[in-house]
Amino acid sequence: MESTVLEKKEVEVKIKAQPNKINNMMQNPIENIESPIINIDQLSVSYGGDKYSINDVSAGIAKNKITAIMGPSGCGKSTLLRAINRMHELNPDTHNKGTVYLGEEDIYKMNPILLRRKIGMVFQRPNPFPTMSIYDNVIAGYLLNGIKLKRREKDEIVEKSLREVGLWSEVKDSLHNKGTFLSGGQQQRLCIARALAYTPEIILLDEPTSALDPIATAKIEDLLVKLKKDFTIVLVTHNMSQAARISDYSMFMYLGELVEYGKTKQMFTMPKDKRTEEYLTGKFG
Amino acid sequence: MNTSAQLSNAKLKGRLLKDKLFTYTLIFLAFLSSVPLFLILFELIKKGYKQINISFFYKVAPDTMEAMVAVKNNEIIPGGIANGIVGTLIIVGMASLIAIPLGIICGMYLAENSKGKFAGIVRFIVDMLQGVPSIVLGVIGYIWIVKPITGGFSSLAGSVALSIMMLPSIVRSTEETLKMIPETLKEAALSLGVPYHKTMLRVVLPSGISGIISGVILGISRIAGETAPLMLTALGSAAISTDITEPSSAIPLLIWEFYNDPNLVDMIWSASLFLLFLILCLNLTAKAIAKRWKVQY
């Protein structure tokens, strides 16, 4: 007990010296995220009116790691995820305070179209394009954006992306069938391949396994762990054990507030906040 | 105990009987409502088949003298309805060219802004448009096109009148179809950095193509048989007319003309049979497309 009190005091002293920057650090004491790829800076998002779905969230996201965002339904975890590639702006009344940096760039000053080409996204329900074949689904990012590729380049991208998600051997003979004929788990992996094919730096996943059975879920979890070598992964999940299994860092959100953010192991073994502890032990959620 | 069981048994039998009665009544009534179509077809085929031969499709409508002579000699009336077929194709084709893009764009707007105030007004107006009597649209075509633009009756005026008539069904079928398409599909495209217009045109629209096309075809089949607006706009013509600023015939107009000429009465049946057949085919095509091209999400 005493030691934590001491730490707090130390931090408070630091705050006075450098108010703004350290203020963020103090709320989210991740000491060892070096040069985060994404920096969420005092971000609040509202879907209209004065009510904010997320409130003053600040966090850095580590490169080539899996960061899980957990919390009970309605806590703002999806909103936070969508604010990273500005998908929340599909709702026309959205407005924010604060901002998010991708590297040095303020994403709210970027063109959202270009931003989304750098930050891919996978959704809760598998959503392959129903009018396209498996092959075209993988290169949909290029096709729909009118980027011309040579036949050989296309073949390479399709094979590489499908291999990465472990779907190649399952679908290599039916590449020109419609993607919607695959099983749910295969469809979801196809959607991940579609996001990968466009070589983003970051992949956001919004509860990607909540519509899948345990076997398909396990496959996708393995896949994510494998993918973090090349990509930075941010994952929203309300499945605590999933976060525990695969993530390196975890955020716990509650009522729009980032309650706790730290290394997953640490958070699951010694949560700092009482609410985190209660959530993790199943007292609410 | 025993008596009550017997009583309920009797009641049960009564109920079963009522149930059966009800079912059979329903089947009978359902059958009854499908009878008219078959009666109409039967009547038209019986009276019209004699007239239908190859020249029916490439010759223009006969004049009253030719017809009188033929009827006197107990021959079939010479000539056909080629002027009507060409006229209908041109008028309906042009009406489609006007109404389809407009209707699809409007439907897309309504589907995308389902809760907007302006969209609500547009939707209301489109619904009202559906209720405008066709003869009124004919008057409008006359005032807008016949008098100021073509300076006389013209197939263009007919097309404009008919395009207004088919607009509501295209708008609403597009809107309903696009509303059924899951939002996640749009999100998928947008999250790949695809601009909004391309997302709509290349992902959302193709996914709803079966519903939209079948709506369009139903719209066409609805106007193909319209007569009243054409009387005030296209007027009719004895010859095949391909100039859109000139009066033109159409199959329903021909039927009306045949009706007014005692010597040509026999032609009514064959022309009606052909028109009905055309519209049935359009309807069947619409159904087939809706089923065949249906996109599975």
Side-chain angles (χ1 to χ4, degrees):
Chain A
M1 269 311 262
E2 269 183 28
S3 69
T4 49
V5 172
L6 243 171
E7 267 173 28
K8 259 195 177 169
K9 271 191 179 161
E10 272 175 22
V11 177
E12 270 165 24
V13 171
K14 275 187 194 165
I15 299 164
K16 275 173 190 156
Q18 268 183 320
N20 231 339
K21 271 246 154 144
I22 312 266
N23 198 356
N24 300 344
M25 303 257 315
M26 136 87 183
Q27 283 176 351
N28 315 296
I30 296 239
E31 306 82 15
N32 31 14
I33 291 187
E34 280 170 19
S35 59
I37 186 165
I38 297 172
N39 238 320
I40 303 165
D41 187 11
Q42 292 179 295
L43 183 72
S44 304
V45 175
S46 163
Y47 287 118
D50 291 336
K51 201 183 165 291
Y52 283 86
S53 300
I54 58 173
N55 235 321
D56 201 23
V57 171
S58 294
I61 286 170
K63 198 165 187 262
N64 291 37
K65 299 277 185 231
I66 298 179
T67 305
I69 309 176
M70 292 182 294
S73 346
C75 69
K77 50 192 191 307
S78 284
T79 304
L80 179 61
L81 190 79
R82 281 160 176 262
I84 297 176
N85 68 348
R86 295 177 62 176
M87 284 297 282
H88 70 305
E89 289 175 3
L90 291 188
N91 184 324
D93 300 325
T94 314
H95 59 93
N96 349 333
K97 290 192 284 194
T99 190
V100 178
Y101 294 97
L102 171 63
E104 298 290 306
E105 267 183 296
D106 182 343
I107 68 158
Y108 288 96
K109 294 199 174 110
M110 287 171 78
N111 181 338
I113 290 169
L114 298 179
L115 171 72
R116 288 173 196 152
R117 292 178 189 181
K118 290 184 179 170
I119 306 183
M121 190 160 195
V122 176
F123 298 85
Q124 194 165 359
R125 294 199 154 272
N127 52 1
F129 296 123
T131 50
M132 294 186 189
S133 64
I134 294 172
Y135 187 95
D136 285 351
N137 255 294
V138 176
I139 51 169
Y142 298 91
L143 286 179
L144 294 173
N145 282 311
I147 299 169
K148 294 262 181 307
L149 293 174
K150 290 197 190 93
R151 178 81 208 194
R152 195 171 45 80
E153 289 172 312
K154 283 192 209 170
D155 289 345
E156 264 172 28
I157 294 172
V158 169
E159 181 170 347
K160 182 167 171 278
S161 311
L162 287 176
R163 274 190 198 284
E164 267 179 325
V165 298
L167 205 54
W168 178 250
S169 58
E170 292 162 51
V171 301
K172 67 171 186 281
D173 299 317
S174 53
L175 284 175
H176 294 283
N177 290 1
K178 292 261 187 296
T180 36
F181 287 113
L182 298 173
S183 74
Q186 287 174 320
Q187 282 188 22
Q188 193 62 301
R189 279 184 285 154
L190 178 60
C191 293
I192 297 176
R194 178 176 67 189
L196 298 183
Y198 213 43
T199 56
E201 296 168 37
I202 298 149
I203 301 171
L204 310 175
L205 300 103
D206 192 353
E207 300 188 23
T209 58
S210 64
L212 303 181
D213 63 74
I215 294 169
T217 300
K219 273 191 182 163
I220 287 189
E221 287 180 0
D222 290 346
L223 168 64
L224 292 180
V225 173
K226 210 178 71 187
L227 286 176
K228 74 178 180 186
K229 176 164 61 68
D230 300 313
F231 303 92
T232 302
I233 293 171
V234 185
L235 167 82
V236 162
T237 178
H238 56 203
N239 179 343
M240 279 178 275
S241 49
Q242 180 170 63
R245 278 195 298 272
I246 63 173
S247 70
D248 302 293
Y249 294 96
S250 291
M251 294 185 193
F252 172 65
M253 293 191 68
Y254 185 58
L255 299 176
E257 189 192 334
L258 178 56
V259 172
E260 189 165 345
Y261 179 25
K263 286 197 164 161
T264 301
K265 253 187 203 148
Q266 194 179 356
M267 193 194 277
F268 274 84
T269 48
M270 310 159 89
K272 293 197 182 104
D273 195 286
K274 209 173 149 247
R275 288 166 292 180
T276 318
E277 190 180 336
E278 283 176 357
Y279 179 72
L280 292 177
T281 51
K283 290 219 173 89
F284 72 90
Chain B
M1 184 72 199
N2 203 7
T3 45
S4 83
Q6 272 172 350
L7 229 162
S8 75
N9 213 356
K11 257 189 190 170
L12 197 66
K13 265 191 183 160
R15 279 181 193 179
L16 281 174
L17 196 71
K18 261 192 217 161
D19 189 50
K20 259 192 185 157
L21 204 68
F22 190 67
T23 312
Y24 286 122
T25 315
L26 278 188
I27 291 173
F28 178 69
L29 290 177
F31 169 75
L32 213 60
S33 64
S34 67
V35 165
L37 179 68
F38 288 103
L39 284 182
I40 292 169
L41 266 177
F42 176 72
E43 192 75 25
L44 291 184
I45 291 172
K46 194 177 84 181
K47 293 191 169 156
Y49 82 96
K50 271 179 288 176
Q51 289 289 336
I52 294 185
N53 47 34
I54 293 172
S55 66
F56 182 77
F57 298 102
Y58 72 84
K59 282 195 175 154
V60 297
D63 63 31
T64 185
M65 286 305 287
E66 283 176 299
M68 202 169 71
V69 173
V71 172
K72 272 235 167 94
N73 298 341
N74 235 347
E75 290 165 4
I76 57 168
I77 303 173
I81 56 164
N83 49 340
I85 296 175
V86 172
T88 289
L89 284 180
I90 290 176
I91 293 173
V92 170
M94 273 196 303
S96 308
L97 278 185
I98 300 170
I100 292 171
L102 214 62
I104 290 180
I105 290 170
C106 183
M108 271 166 76
Y109 176 78
L110 293 185
E112 279 296 283
N113 302 280
S114 53
K115 290 192 190 98
K117 207 173 180 186
F118 180 65
I121 296 170
V122 170
R123 192 177 296 115
F124 179 75
I125 291 173
V126 167
D127 281 349
M128 291 295 108
L129 197 60
Q130 188 133 39
V132 174
S134 60
I135 187 78
V136 175
L137 294 176
V139 175
I140 292 296
Y142 182 81
I143 289 175
W144 284 358
I145 312 289
V146 171
K147 283 191 89 178
I149 296 180
T150 53
F153 295 106
S154 64
S155 49
L156 178 66
S159 302
V160 171
L162 292 187
S163 70
I164 299 174
M165 221 182 140
M166 75 188 291
L167 200 57
S169 77
I170 298 179
V171 171
R172 290 318 291 270
S173 66
T174 306
E175 185 193 359
E176 296 306 323
T177 309
L178 293 187
K179 267 191 190 161
M180 302 283 286
I181 291 173
E183 189 75 0
T184 53
L185 215 58
K186 208 165 85 189
E187 287 184 338
L190 290 173
S191 78
L192 286 169
V194 180
Y196 179 76
H197 70 279
K198 278 193 187 169
T199 302
M200 290 308 293
L201 292 177
R202 298 197 49 189
V203 176
V204 177
L205 213 53
S207 303
I209 200 72
S210 69
I212 293 170
I213 290 185
S214 70
V216 165
I217 294 178
L218 288 178
I220 292 173
S221 82
R222 189 170 161 235
I223 61 162
E226 262 314 313
T227 324
L230 294 184
M231 289 172 166
L232 301 182
T233 51
L235 188 69
S237 149
I240 293 177
S241 155
T242 49
D243 184 348
I244 60 168
T245 61
E246 290 295 317
S248 165
S249 192
I251 303 171
L253 279 179
L254 276 182
I255 296 174
W256 171 244
E257 283 166 21
F258 295 152
Y259 173 78
N260 283 320
D261 189 331
N263 292 317
L264 289 172
V265 169
D266 284 351
M267 293 287 283
I268 290 178
W269 307 108
S270 47
S272 300
L273 180 61
F274 179 69
L275 185 60
L276 182 65
F277 181 72
L278 197 74
I279 289 172
L280 286 181
C281 281
L282 283 172
N283 281 313
L284 290 176
T285 314
K287 279 207 189 315
I289 285 178
K291 203 172 161 192
R292 258 276 178 81
W293 294 7
K294 191 163 175 57
V295 175
Q296 268 208 310
Y297 311 116

